[in-house]
Amino acid sequence: VSVRVHVKGEHHGAHTHKIATEYNVLVSGYMTMCGQELHTGDVFIVEPNEIADPVFHEDCTVLCVKTPSVPTDKYIV
């Protein structure tokens, strides 16, 4: 479980997970993920092998629950 603050324009990089599913809440801000516009309060899920490509259009706070928690399960694409 993490709560992270991403600043507007931050380059987080496209990545995927082979094992974990990520359950996310956009606590505050406006961003795009996988072509979907997300606003404060939106919930989004990133499934295994789905490419996550976040774009932060303003400062964002994201609550993320990744299950199972496998620290090495992140692959840059």
Side-chain angles (χ1 to χ4, degrees):
V1 176
S2 69
V3 176
R4 296 189 63 187
V5 175
H6 302 279
V7 296
K8 178 181 177 179
E10 176 183 327
H11 179 71
H12 193 65
H15 65 280
T16 190
H17 304 281
K18 293 182 180 179
I19 301 168
T21 299
E22 282 188 359
Y23 301 91
N24 300 275
V25 177
L26 182 55
V27 176
S28 65
Y30 166 55
M31 65 181 285
T32 305
M33 173 71 85
C34 302
Q36 181 180 5
E37 290 188 4
L38 300 164
H39 302 272
T40 298
D42 286 346
V43 174
F44 59 101
I45 299 170
V46 181
E47 300 284 350
N49 300 308
E50 183 177 5
I51 295 175
D53 58 350
V55 177
F56 303 103
H57 303 291
E58 57 187 42
D59 292 353
C60 295
T61 301
V62 179
L63 167 67
C64 177
V65 177
K66 187 167 89 168
T67 184
S69 178
V70 180
T72 58
D73 184 39
K74 183 174 182 176
Y75 303 90
I76 304 300
V77 294

